[in-house]
Amino acid sequence: MRLDKAARIAKGAEAIIYQGTYLQNPVIIKQRLPKTYRHPEIDHRIRLHRLRSEAKVMSIARKIGASVPSLIGINIQESYLLIEEIDGKLLYETMDLLPIQRLKPIFSSLGSQIGLLHCNDIIHGDLTVFNVIIQLEDKPIIIDFGLGRISNEIESKADDILTFYSTLKAIQPASKILFSTFLDGYLSVYPEGKNTYEQMKKIQSRARYIAREDRLE
Amino acid sequence: MWLMWIYRILILNHEISMASIEPIILGLEGTAHTAGVAVIKGREVIVNESATYFPPQGGIHPREAAIFLAKEFPILIDKVFKRLPFKIDKIDGIAFSQGPGLGPCLRTTATVARAISLRLNIPLLGVNHCIAHVELGRTVTPVDDPLVLYVSGGNTQLITFLNGRYRVLGETLDIAIGNALDTLGREMNLPHPGGPHIEKQAQSGNKLLTLPYTIKGMSFSFSGMVTAAKKLLHDHSIPDVCYSFQEYTFAILAEATERALSCTKKPSVLLTGGVAANAHLQTIIQKVAQEQDTSFQAVPRNLAGDNGVMIAFAGTHLFNTGKILSVEDSQVKPRWRTDQVQVGWIE
């Protein structure tokens, strides 16, 4: 693989993101570097595992037609992925800029995208508004499959939805309306998602201090 | 004569305004196994006393703990009041831990607080225990607007201030890290609380055994890891199991913290709660802060566990913003969540 003009553009929690070109196309290079705070053995095990599963999950998601960036290449030795570059803003950033009426269709279409993934047993693993890019014409693209995996367990799918709801609730006052729009989109593509939602409520009730008014009906 | 009066009024006004800046608050902590009584003035701790219940065997039984609190509070309060350098009626407010916690313990503490409040005619202040741990850190360390990793026997949360409230970005989906350490400790016949003993045992362990690594975005779960660690005890030494358990669980906490930092871009990390006394966890979270170019603070060891000081510090904010609680509204809130509290004292 020949990489050109790699410039560091961002540092996430897990990886460093570089911008470069590969065969004259703009690409993103996502490299997972060792973490000093983790035991080297744990670190190695996790980084290798996530690099591989991210590549695998992303390419399967792409195959079934979900809106995710396409994977161009993988380098195990230097632990990086080459990914198609996506223009746009993080959903987290757009939430402050757009009115609820414009956010609703975004959440609905994000919901149907997640429904499509779950319908095909693809689990995202870290589904939050920080891992969705909104392109032109409000099209959501799901990124960062580092914690992703293939599983048909309801529990895993419910975890995805619960993670999404919890982060949304933490940062957005109108979370309940947006989440129900998201859920409508989810169920429209994946009717069996009813069970996922029931399981999500069960997981939530296992946690500590869930006030009655906070429980989802 | 007139001048004298004006002078007196000025002095009086001055005293009143001084009082509103630095009120004297009595803090009563009693959510689980610790009875804490403290008096503070502004940022200064005047007296701090506490007593902790150690069960003869097993974990904390709510009723036993409540009986312990009921026995200890009168003794502690008597001690504190005797050591005050001023009269009791100088106290401006009685802050108590209204929740979350074990019901019987909370009710005992609330009863003590109401009794003192009615007897001395001093207003009540209902403090959220989790927020008290955060406010303690904001008072005694130089952090402002931090991302907080709150780790204790009852709670494990990633908290930060957003849109007028302390928001929980991630938390344990089942048991708290302290609870996990205690449970594992009991399995190895270590005394309660298990955390410090596990920390000590881990220092002589060096073989990393394989455990599950359960992280879900910024949330995590520990109960499955305890079960897996228990199984390892059949074939491996206690120090190695302790070492591995700490390495794995702390790596998970570190990763969730780093993810939350990277999302929120907060300028500092604060480690608070009873498990914050663990030196190894402190080193790990400090490295996370370095990794994300932010500063790191941990609460001092002697104030890491539950205490009356933190309740009094949080109570000071309630007092200053006029959040007085009437006795009629002072029922305890065993399931009071961090993000349910309207925070009026931060811009």
Side-chain angles (χ1 to χ4, degrees):
Chain A
M1 259 188 278
R2 212 181 109 75
L3 290 170
D4 293 317
K5 281 189 281 179
R8 181 175 148 164
I9 51 167
K11 187 178 180 199
E14 271 202 87
I16 295 183
I17 312 291
Y18 302 92
Q19 202 170 26
T21 47
Y22 175 67
L23 302 175
Q24 278 108 46
N25 289 317
V27 289
I28 288 294
I29 300 140
K30 179 176 178 183
Q31 186 167 32
R32 288 188 159 80
L33 294 176
K35 296 289 178 193
T36 51
Y37 59 74
R38 270 199 294 242
H39 189 287
E41 272 176 54
I42 302 179
D43 191 66
H44 181 75
R45 174 183 151 193
I46 286 167
R47 280 193 302 130
L48 187 67
H49 177 78
R50 289 192 184 157
L51 186 78
R52 285 181 166 158
S53 58
E54 179 162 22
K56 183 171 125 192
V57 172
M58 250 172 99
S59 47
I60 297 177
R62 184 81 183 180
K63 230 174 257 170
I64 59 152
S67 54
V68 300
S70 68
L71 179 73
I72 299 166
I74 175 170
N75 185 327
I76 302 263
Q77 278 78 43
E78 292 174 50
S79 66
Y80 67 75
L81 296 178
L82 279 187
I83 305 168
E84 167 200 9
E85 190 179 346
I86 303 287
D87 281 328
K89 270 197 156 69
L90 286 186
L91 177 55
Y92 171 67
E93 293 162 346
T94 45
M95 272 166 53
D96 286 340
L97 307 171
L98 299 182
I100 290 284
Q101 284 318 314
R102 232 183 110 191
L103 283 173
K104 274 181 158 181
I106 298 181
F107 274 77
S108 164
S109 109
L110 178 62
S112 53
Q113 285 299 324
I114 301 302
L116 180 62
L117 291 180
H118 282 188
C119 193
N120 289 282
D121 294 340
I122 300 172
I123 311 298
H124 184 279
D126 185 17
L127 190 62
T128 66
V129 289
F130 299 98
N131 285 335
V132 177
I133 292 179
I134 304 302
Q135 268 191 322
L136 286 175
E137 291 157 14
D138 294 350
K139 188 187 175 204
I141 307 275
I142 304 151
I143 58 163
D144 197 355
F145 285 82
L147 296 181
R149 64 189 181 285
I150 308 298
S151 160
N152 60 2
E153 282 175 23
I154 295 182
E155 177 94 4
S156 309
K157 295 176 186 177
D159 263 339
D160 258 2
I161 307 292
L162 180 59
T163 308
F164 185 71
Y165 176 67
S166 319
T167 349
L168 187 65
K169 195 173 70 140
I171 57 176
Q172 164 64 253
S175 56
K176 275 201 176 158
I177 307 166
L178 290 177
F179 184 71
S180 76
T181 328
F182 170 88
L183 211 58
D184 288 344
Y186 181 73
L187 294 173
S188 71
V189 175
Y190 182 46
E192 278 177 55
K194 270 206 310 242
N195 302 332
T196 318
Y197 182 56
E198 289 304 315
Q199 186 66 19
M200 166 191 153
K201 287 193 279 185
K202 269 191 209 156
I203 299 177
Q204 204 188 21
S205 67
R206 273 181 231 153
R208 307 184 75 81
Y209 318 134
I210 297 299
R212 273 181 197 91
E213 63 266 30
D214 247 22
R215 290 213 173 115
L216 289 164
E217 293 310 319
Chain B
M1 186 65 192
W2 277 109
L3 272 177
M4 182 85 158
W5 270 109
I6 290 167
Y7 181 69
R8 270 200 185 169
I9 289 168
L10 278 176
I11 291 279
L12 200 67
N13 272 338
H14 181 66
E15 272 175 4
I16 290 169
S17 65
M18 280 301 282
S20 67
I21 294 164
E22 295 217 314
I24 297 172
I25 305 290
L26 170 73
L28 299 173
E29 155 65 31
T31 52
H33 63 327
T34 301
V37 181
V39 175
I40 60 124
K41 182 177 189 220
R43 285 166 178 255
E44 180 198 351
V45 179
I46 296 170
V47 201
N48 178 24
E49 288 290 340
S50 67
T52 302
Y53 171 65
F54 291 103
Q57 62 191 36
I60 302 166
H61 189 297
R63 184 191 58 225
E64 304 291 329
I67 292 172
F68 173 84
L69 296 187
K71 192 172 80 45
E72 287 296 327
F73 267 126
I75 305 170
L76 292 171
I77 287 166
D78 196 43
K79 238 194 229 173
V80 166
F81 281 179
K82 276 187 184 140
R83 284 177 46 200
L84 280 185
F86 41 73
K87 281 200 175 148
I88 303 171
D89 57 10
K90 286 267 188 248
I91 294 174
D92 296 298
I94 315 271
F96 72 103
S97 51
Q98 200 180 359
L102 303 173
C105 303
L106 291 174
R107 287 191 286 276
T108 308
T109 314
T111 309
V112 175
R114 287 182 204 119
I116 304 176
S117 165
L118 291 171
R119 177 75 178 77
L120 300 174
N121 199 20
I122 299 172
L124 266 185
L125 304 157
V127 170
N128 178 298
H129 176 91
C130 305
I131 289 184
H133 274 289
V134 177
E135 290 303 334
L136 171 82
R138 287 185 60 236
T139 312
V140 300
T141 72
V143 293
D144 188 42
D145 196 19
L147 173 80
V148 185
L149 176 59
Y150 164 37
V151 279
S152 72
N155 299 283
T156 306
Q157 301 182 325
L158 276 162
I159 306 170
T160 200
F161 187 78
L162 279 171
N163 307 328
R165 284 176 195 227
Y166 280 117
R167 308 282 171 175
V168 179
L169 293 174
E171 67 187 310
T172 174
L173 296 173
D174 41 51
I175 58 172
I177 178 67
N179 193 345
L181 290 166
D182 292 347
T183 313
L184 186 62
R186 276 204 292 284
E187 206 65 27
M188 306 181 215
N189 293 321
L190 299 173
H192 183 91
H197 296 281
I198 289 184
E199 184 182 6
K200 213 173 154 208
Q201 291 287 338
Q203 283 162 1
S204 45
N206 53 22
K207 195 171 150 215
L208 188 77
L209 310 165
T210 306
L211 282 169
Y213 188 92
T214 33
I215 186 159
K216 295 165 182 188
M218 287 178 255
S219 293
F220 24 80
S221 100
F222 297 119
S223 70
M225 300 184 71
V226 174
T227 312
K230 277 182 192 170
K231 282 185 190 151
L232 289 179
L233 281 171
H234 300 309
D235 309 316
H236 299 278
S237 73
I238 286 183
D240 283 345
V241 173
C242 292
Y243 172 72
S244 311
F245 192 73
Q246 280 206 135
E247 288 300 326
Y248 269 91
T249 51
F250 293 177
I252 290 168
L253 289 174
E255 188 184 337
T257 307
E258 186 173 18
R259 193 160 291 151
L261 262 183
S262 150
C263 288
T264 58
K265 314 273 181 231
K266 291 280 172 174
S268 55
V269 183
L270 171 69
L271 184 61
T272 187
V275 187
N278 187 305
H280 189 50
L281 181 61
Q282 287 191 9
T283 326
I284 288 177
I285 302 300
Q286 185 161 25
K287 283 183 188 159
V288 173
Q290 277 165 7
E291 191 91 30
Q292 292 288 321
D293 297 320
T294 55
S295 69
F296 169 80
Q297 293 289 336
V299 294
R301 216 184 158 87
N302 62 328
L303 293 175
D306 295 351
N307 58 73
V309 175
M310 64 184 207
I311 301 295
F313 281 145
T316 306
H317 291 302
L318 292 174
F319 184 83
N320 286 340
T321 47
K323 292 265 185 216
I324 306 289
L325 194 67
S326 68
V327 171
E328 290 74 24
D329 296 330
S330 65
Q331 66 273 42
V332 298
K333 301 174 178 174
R335 288 170 172 267
W336 199 9
R337 283 189 61 86
T338 308
D339 45 18
Q340 285 176 315
V341 181
Q342 202 88 53
V343 177
W345 57 88
I346 304 178
E347 290 294 311

